[in-house]
Amino acid sequence: MATILPCEIEFLAEDELIKVTPRFREARLQMISGNYGPFAPGVPLKIPIWMAMNLKSRGLVIVHQPRWMSAEKLKEWLDSENADNTNAIAPLHYHYREISRMILQNCRDNLSDVTEIEQLIEDIWNVRVSKLKMSCKNVLKERWQNEIPDHGGVFKVNNFTQMEVNFIRANFLKGLNVSFVMSNKITDIEQKAAAHQLADDTTNTSSFPTGSSASTLSQFTQSQTQN
Amino acid sequence: MSDLGIVDDQSASYLDIDDILMTENKISCRARYDLVDLELRRTAEDFHEGKKVDLPIWMAMRLNEFFRHEIPKQYNTHFQGILNADPEVVNLHKEGPKYFAMGLQLTSENFDFADDEDIINMCQTLLQASARRVSWISDMAAADHYQQSKVDSKLDDMEKEMYAKAISERKSWEDWTRGMSNRLTESKFIAKSRKRKRDALAQKNN
C-alpha cells in the first residue's frame, strides 16, 4: 500500500500563491506554472510559495503574512473546533499546516505574533487529529457488526485536510483490510454451515439458494458518513 | 505476513515464506480408521482407530479423510474467553507467532473439528480482538519510545509489521515538522564502505 510522505504533500502545497513585496526590478517571468508579473521594488504581487521562499532566502523579497494566518482568526478557528466534539470545522486554508511551517521557518522577521501563531496552529492540529483518530477507532470497532459490502465499504471524511488524512492513512487502511478479510471469512463459513444444515434436512429436495439473503445484503453499497 | 487473504489462495500462498512457516505448526489429530504401515514419522507404524499424533497443518489438511482434527489450545473456548475480555494484554507472540493467519487457516474446509460452531465463534473473537488490537497498536506507535520493545514482544507477525510501519511513519512525520526532511544525508551504504576502507588502511599500517 503506497503512502505519500509529508514532504511530498508540502511540495504540492508550495504551488499556492502568496503576496510578497519584491526589492528588485525584473521583467515579467514566463514559467511553466504561470506568468508572474513584472517585479518592481515596493509593488506587492502574488507569486507561488516555492518562488517566494527562494527569493526570501536570498533577501530579495518581503513576505506578507497571509490573511488567514492572523492570531485572531486562528483563535476563532480553535474555539470553534473545541466547541464541536465530533465534526471538524472547514479549515481556514486547505494546506494550513504546510504553509504555516514553511513561512514560520523562513520568514520569521516579516511576521507578527510568531510564537502565538505557532502555538495556535499546533493546538488546532492536535484537536483535529484527535477527532479523526477517534472516528477511525469507532469505525474499526463497529465495522464488523454490519455486513461489509464486496468493495469493502466507502467512508466519507468531511473537512479534513490532505495532511491530516495522510497522518492516519497507513494504519487505518491496514485495519480496514484485516477486518474485511476476516469478515468475509466469517460470512463464508456461516454460509457453508447453513448449507450443511440444509443438506441434512431430508424434507425439501428442491434447490434452495443458501446464503441468498447474505449475498443480497452485500450488493448494497454501504457508505457510512464519517464525521 | 501483511495480507491475510493469501491464506485461502493456493497459488499465492504456495511460495510465501510466512505461509510456509505458518502451516508448519502442529495440530493434534486422531486417526479415524485402522491404518496400517504409515510412515508419518520416518518409521513404518500402525495406527489403531483413535490414536493421537501431531501433524503439521499442511499435512493435516491433505490427510483430512483419514484423521479427525482437534482445535489447538490457543484457539479453544477458554482462550477465546480471555481474548474477548481484554485483547490488548494478551501476548500473541507467545501463542504461535502467526496467530491470526493460523486462525484463518483453521477455518478452511479441509479441517474436520468436532465442534463446528466453535470455529465460527473463534472467527468472531479473532475479528473483534484484531479490531481492538489494531487501534491499540496505533495508539502505542504514537506514544513514547520507551515502551517500544515491551509492546513489540507481545505482537504476532502481522501486527509487528503494522507497528513497525506506524513507527517509521511517525518518525518521518516528526522529521518533517522539525524541517529536517529537506536535508541531504549521506547514504548508509557509502558511509559503511568508507569506514571499511579506513579500517583496512589502519590495519595495514599496524
Side-chain angles (χ1 to χ4, degrees), chain A residues 10 101 125 137 170-171 185, chain B residues 8 104 107 138-139 173 176 179:
Chain A
E10 185 182 76
R101 192 200 77 80
W125 171 266
K137 272 196 210 168
N171 254 339
K185 256 308 171 108
Chain B
D8 273 339
L104 285 190
T107 63
S138 56
D139 278 345
W173 165 260
W176 177 78

Side-chain angles (χ1 to χ4, degrees), chain B residues 24-42:
Chain B
E24 203 42 51
N25 284 323
K26 299 267 184 0
I27 264 196
S28 86
C29 314
R30 271 174 207 282
R32 280 197 217 216
Y33 321 108
D34 285 337
L35 305 164
V36 178
D37 218 14
L38 279 185
E39 282 193 25
L40 286 174
R41 287 187 285 207
R42 308 275 173 109

Side-chain angles (χ1 to χ4, degrees), chain A residues 171, chain B residues 132-142 151 155 159-160 162-163 166:
Chain A
N171 254 339
Chain B
R132 280 174 72 172
R133 279 176 78 98
V134 162
S135 0
W136 174 66
I137 287 176
S138 56
D139 278 345
M140 282 290 126
V151 167
L155 305 175
E159 299 173 332
K160 269 207 180 104
M162 264 198 242
Y163 187 63

Side-chain angles (χ1 to χ4, degrees), chain B residues 38-45 47 51-55:
Chain B
L38 279 185
E39 282 193 25
L40 286 174
R41 287 187 285 207
R42 308 275 173 109
T43 54
E45 327 177 50
F47 289 92
K51 172 159 176 186
K52 235 179 170 184
V53 70
D54 275 342
L55 296 177

Side-chain angles (χ1 to χ4, degrees), chain B residues 179-195:
Chain B
M180 301 207 289
S181 59
N182 288 334
R183 298 223 190 120
L184 300 172
T185 52
E186 189 182 37
S187 119
K188 285 188 207 155
F189 179 66
I190 303 293
K192 277 194 194 153
S193 75
R194 218 190 290 158
K195 188 167 179 253

